Amino acid sequence: MNRAAVFDVDGTLVDTNHLHVVTWWEAFRQAGHRVPMHAVHRAVGLGSTDLVAHLLGEDRDKEKDADLSAAHKALYGQYFDRLPALPDAGRLLRRLHRDGWTVVLATSAGGAELDALRRALDADDAIAATASADDVDEGKPAAEPVEHALELAGAPAAQSVFVGDTVWDMRAGSRAGVRCVGVLCGGVPRADLEEAGADAVYADPAHLLASLPGDGIW
């Protein structure tokens, strides 16, 4: 029976969360909004529209959402040629691929941003498919991104695992019925990940890779 290892990317495999914090903060600042960086950090992992709604509320001028998203994309795009993969991220994906897992990425990134993340990972030989923001109607914490990843892998939820770094990841994985693994390298506390549904928590991809032999979650 096929089994899928589904991965979030930002903050899980590539060290980009704080770049998103700074560039979203600057996009909000340019538009006249004072949003604390700690609040932005807690919202990273949501799709652009959901992130803006989460931080500015439903009574905001929704016609400005596209401008905010475009400003963030332009600011963040300055880093596309130097996004840093987290230690052993590529090795982790290749190890799972060799062990018979179908590796799929499930990310709110799409287009040129997703291309930049994949270049940073440099592990296309291990990645079977990608469920991006371009492929789903609802982003995390909805189950749809993970469910779509499972469809691409041809794997049942009961035989699959989702690895992510945010509470939105853990909630999406839980709603999709997969086992959820959290990593701390995105900056979210262990207790928050566990409360949101993480079955196990590791420091980063290197820690997860080192823990694979004999680890019951796999």
Side-chain angles (χ1 to χ4, degrees):
M1 183 178 292
N2 199 13
R3 53 185 184 169
V6 182
F7 282 84
D8 170 63
V9 183
D10 282 301
T12 300
L13 297 171
V14 186
D15 193 11
T16 50
N17 275 11
H18 290 88
L19 293 176
H20 279 298
V21 171
V22 171
T23 52
W24 270 117
W25 173 84
E26 177 62 14
F28 284 124
R29 189 197 67 81
Q30 290 178 4
H33 301 290
R34 298 182 63 182
V35 182
M37 286 195 184
H38 70 84
V40 178
H41 180 239
R42 300 291 290 182
V44 167
L46 293 171
S48 294
T49 300
D50 291 334
L51 182 145
V52 172
H54 183 77
L55 292 171
L56 297 186
E58 290 301 323
D59 59 347
R60 70 192 186 283
D61 182 355
K62 295 181 177 66
E63 293 184 357
K64 301 294 186 182
D65 286 5
D67 292 339
L68 284 166
S69 180
H72 164 256
K73 286 182 179 179
L75 291 161
Y76 183 68
Q78 299 175 76
Y79 299 99
F80 278 1
D81 62 348
R82 55 192 187 277
L83 300 179
L86 284 155
D88 284 343
R91 287 184 60 205
L92 171 62
L93 300 187
R94 291 189 177 94
R95 164 65 187 280
L96 291 169
H97 175 66
R98 288 197 305 271
D99 286 353
W101 292 83
T102 299
V103 176
V104 182
L105 306 181
T107 173
S108 58
E113 181 182 343
L114 178 57
D115 291 341
L117 290 167
R118 291 189 68 146
R119 287 196 300 273
L121 277 174
D122 191 25
D124 278 353
D125 53 312
I127 300 168
T130 301
S132 77
D134 302 327
D135 304 319
V136 297
D137 294 323
E138 287 189 278
K140 306 167 196 170
E144 187 179 357
V146 180
E147 291 172 343
H148 182 53
L150 297 178
E151 290 174 3
L152 293 173
Q159 299 296 321
S160 301
V161 63
F162 180 46
V163 183
D165 68 297
T166 69
V167 295
W168 319 114
D169 293 326
M170 299 301 100
R171 290 174 185 172
S174 296
R175 289 168 180 169
V178 300
R179 291 169 289 169
C180 296
V181 172
V183 287
L184 300 173
C185 41
V188 177
R190 176 187 297 270
D192 291 1
L193 294 174
E194 291 176 340
E195 183 179 352
D199 296 297
V201 179
Y202 297 88
D204 53 22
H207 183 204
L208 178 51
L209 175 63
S211 303
L212 283 180
D215 191 325
I217 193 64
W218 298 94

